[in-house]
Amino acid sequence: MVIDSLGGGGAERSTALVLTRLARFGVDATAVVLRRTIDGDEDMVRASGVAIEAVASTTLVGRVRAIRRLIKSTRPDVVHTSIFDSDIAGRIAAAGTGVPVVSTLINTQYDPSRYVDPAIPSHKLRLAQTIDALSARFLTVRLHAVSAGVKTANITALGLPPNKIEVIDRGRDLERFRNVTPDESDAVRQSLGIPLEAPVVLSVGRLAAQKAPADLVLAHARLSDRLGAPWLVFAGPSGNASERVARAIEQLRPEQRVRVLVLGPRRDIPTLLHAADAFAMASHYEGTAGAAIEALAAGTPVVATNVAGVAGVLEHDQNARLVAPARPDLLAEALGDVLVDDSLRARLIRGGLETTSARFDLDEAAREMADFYRRAVTRG
């Protein structure tokens, strides 16, 4: 498994979880990381018996050489790449070795919204898209998509044949998100200075432009006008939208500003989800929205943007309330509805628990990935 790192994001986290379970289904895995992490999941992965190799180089040529040496020395049955830098380095490194390559499509990173983002030079994005498309078409034998929406988006964006892509849901340790007591959730509220009776909206994930966290701050201002004293809590690492979030918070009225908490990375996400009254995702593009899946598993009502990647995972008014992206006003309206409408909350909670039980069991995900690898090896 070649991946950028084993920490810091949802794709890395879900990959790490599957890695820990593959041995149960006859797969001997080694993780090759381009970057080491301190606060990620390396310890968890290593404790499960999976070896971790780090690539020292920071250049594409150096990474390709290092990965190629590992391939030649260990002779794996399959190389699995995930995330752009690792995809390109891993695919090129394995070329000509006779070892089949598979890659995971984790996102809708070539969504049209990215081409109108002034922070992203469109010519660089177009070049990355071309390199990704060519290497995926000619240097892989099979592709794994984390959702039906991601598969559909990448068929179009990368010009990939549909029969080359399999959709396999990424599992979660469901019991970890369900086994939280009321006393534990009350305690975390008190530790954060949040009154037990106050409505709380939680966002989990890196403060990245993709996830549009500043839109949630704007929605918080509107929601405050409707409900009076809601709290907005961000849990996750800083990112390229951190300054934008800070500026948006500064624009709030003082009584609104004090009810926005930016916590940074947390290890108690299940408890935070149980302490929240709603989970919010404002992303402009997404893959499976792993944090939203975790909220579903915890029984926390989800309000999210209706972007391509979540198709087939989040269903409007079945397990989530979905709104158009880049519309803080609609986010605020939907959050307000979820917070005040008991029947809507109950329907979303029930739908979320049914979805995760049926589709996101971690052992089942690992078993399906093991079968996927065997098909790749036999070209079946």
Side-chain angles (χ1 to χ4, degrees), residues 177-372:
F177 290 92
R178 291 176 179 168
N179 292 338
V180 176
T181 68
D183 285 346
E184 289 172 324
S185 59
D186 287 351
V188 79
R189 273 189 176 234
Q190 291 171 339
S191 71
L192 298 174
I194 301 174
L196 296 181
E197 70 280 3
V200 175
V201 175
L202 175 68
S203 172
V204 177
R206 185 180 296 277
L207 296 180
Q210 165 192 351
K211 299 184 180 298
D215 285 359
L216 283 177
V217 179
L218 297 177
H220 170 73
R222 291 175 176 268
L223 189 61
S224 296
D225 291 338
R226 176 175 174 181
L227 292 186
W231 289 67
L232 173 61
V233 179
F234 291 100
S238 60
N240 59 7
S242 294
E243 291 186 9
R244 193 178 306 174
V245 169
R247 289 195 299 271
I249 293 172
E250 284 301 313
Q251 297 302 311
L252 296 174
R253 298 196 303 269
E255 68 273 15
Q256 297 171 340
R257 191 183 311 139
V258 297
R259 297 190 183 97
V260 179
L261 302 180
V262 181
L263 304 182
R266 299 279 295 207
R267 287 288 187 177
D268 58 347
I269 297 302
T271 309
L272 287 171
L273 284 167
H274 279 263
D277 298 289
F279 172 89
M281 185 193 84
S283 299
H284 291 174
Y285 66 96
E286 268 292 344
T288 56
I293 294 170
E294 293 173 354
L296 298 181
T300 304
V302 171
V303 173
T305 44
N306 192 12
V307 292
V310 306
V313 177
L314 300 182
E315 302 289 346
H316 180 63
D317 276 3
Q318 300 301 311
N319 59 17
R321 174 60 64 94
L322 301 179
V323 301
R327 290 290 304 272
D329 57 327
L330 297 183
L331 273 172
E333 181 180 349
L335 285 166
D337 291 344
V338 166
L339 291 172
V340 302
D341 187 334
D342 290 340
S343 63
L344 173 60
R345 287 177 57 80
R347 183 167 72 250
L348 298 185
I349 291 170
R350 183 172 60 251
L353 294 174
E354 290 173 353
T355 297
T356 51
S357 294
R359 294 181 50 184
F360 294 99
D361 177 76
L362 184 54
D363 278 335
E364 179 62 17
R367 184 194 65 77
E368 290 190 30
M369 288 307 302
D371 291 343
F372 172 78

Side-chain angles (χ1 to χ4, degrees), residues 45-128:
V45 171
R46 192 177 291 107
S48 74
V50 174
I52 300 175
E53 299 280 353
V55 174
S57 179
T58 58
T59 68
L60 175 59
V61 172
R63 287 169 172 172
V64 168
R65 287 175 176 168
I67 296 168
R68 192 174 183 86
R69 282 195 296 270
L70 284 169
I71 292 171
K72 289 185 173 181
S73 65
T74 61
R75 298 306 302 174
D77 295 296
V78 63
V79 171
H80 181 177
T81 72
S82 185
I83 307 179
F84 181 82
D85 287 347
S86 296
D87 284 338
I88 305 309
R91 292 167 186 171
I92 295 173
T97 65
V99 179
V101 177
V102 299
S103 293
T104 290
L105 304 172
I106 63 169
N107 218 321
T108 58
Q109 63 267 39
Y110 306 112
D111 187 272
S113 65
R114 296 202 75 196
Y115 281 96
V116 298
D117 186 342
I120 303 172
S122 59
H123 68 282
K124 289 186 177 180
L125 184 59
R126 184 67 66 188
L127 176 62

